[in-house]
Amino acid sequence: MSFYIFTKKQILSVLGVALAIIIGTVVSVSVFAKSERLLPIYSVGTEEKKIAISFDAAWGADDTDTLIAVLAKYNVPATFFVVGEWVEKYPTEVKRLADAGHDVMNHSDTHPYMTSLSSSKMVEELKACNQKIASITGKEPTLFRCPYGDYNNNVISTVESIGMKSIQWDVDSLDWKETATVESIVSRVTGKAKNGSIVLFHNDAEHTPEALPIILEKLISEGYTFVKIADLIYYENYEIIHDGTQVKKDG
């Protein structure tokens, strides 16, 4: 039988290597956990030529009837994300949108940067807006869009904790910019839209009422159909990949 005698130096060396491996493993796990970023739904992975049109409503309402008329002409259902304060100011417009068959969803109560709020304050914002919308439409919103597109893990998890889904967009019309023109809006949307896209417009942007019919005619001619976001997204057996695309899991 053979015996091995280790010196104190050798023992300390072995212990040092073992400790380094343990620390490295813990750090790796910790970094991986911290790097897991939660995402809202930017678009949906689908082979069907379906697109969802959405509008954010936070300020004016002068174009509401015009937008409803344009969408009706092309038989396009849309999703309107409205701020609670906007609902209070324009209840008649909210009812018109709902009566026209469009979804009225949550865009917060006061349009804050959600990442600056505590989880409890976020819930207050969400529930206050939901109650105002439901009191007019009779339907509790299930979707939420962050004001300014501002979110982090805490925002996404808080929204999900009350049974709602966070929705972003993958096609931004940039209709709110002072430099926007009918041509620039049409070019951006028709050039970027694809299967499963969620398009962002604003209800009170200057050139949107004029650009919208051109966009709809162009996309319809390319074989696209339009659905509400609630009818585009998946509700089970899905994941959201790195670019925000919601995709069905295998199996």
Side-chain angles (χ1 to χ4, degrees), residues 173-227:
S173 67
L174 296 181
D175 57 353
W176 55 272
K177 283 195 168 185
E178 289 185 5
T179 55
T181 63
V182 172
E183 293 74 18
S184 70
I185 296 169
V186 170
S187 177
R188 280 191 63 84
V189 175
T190 59
K192 293 179 178 293
K194 64 182 188 304
N195 294 2
S197 278
I198 297 173
V199 185
L200 170 65
F201 294 102
H202 294 81
N203 73 306
D204 63 341
E206 181 180 0
H207 300 293
T208 299
E210 189 178 350
L212 188 59
I214 303 171
I215 291 168
L216 297 180
E217 288 181 5
K218 171 68 171 172
L219 294 176
I220 290 171
S221 73
E222 294 176 359
Y224 287 102
T225 57
F226 298 89
V227 297

Side-chain angles (χ1 to χ4, degrees), residues 44-120:
V44 174
T46 176
E47 294 182 0
E48 298 182 64
K49 293 179 74 68
K50 298 189 298 185
I51 292 175
I53 298 290
S54 67
F55 297 84
D56 285 359
W59 290 281
D62 291 345
D63 295 327
T64 303
D65 287 341
T66 301
L67 294 175
I68 290 174
V70 170
L71 293 168
K73 178 180 178 180
Y74 295 96
N75 194 30
V76 171
T79 305
F80 286 78
F81 290 93
V82 301
V83 171
E85 292 178 343
W86 191 86
V87 175
E88 288 184 325
K89 192 172 183 179
Y90 303 107
T92 301
E93 282 75 6
V94 173
K95 190 172 190 312
R96 285 177 186 164
L97 291 171
D99 289 349
H102 304 296
D103 274 352
V104 181
M105 296 294 181
N106 194 316
H107 195 35
S108 79
D109 193 45
T110 63
H111 208 263
Y113 284 95
M114 297 296 283
T115 57
S116 69
L117 305 181
S118 66
S119 294
S120 61

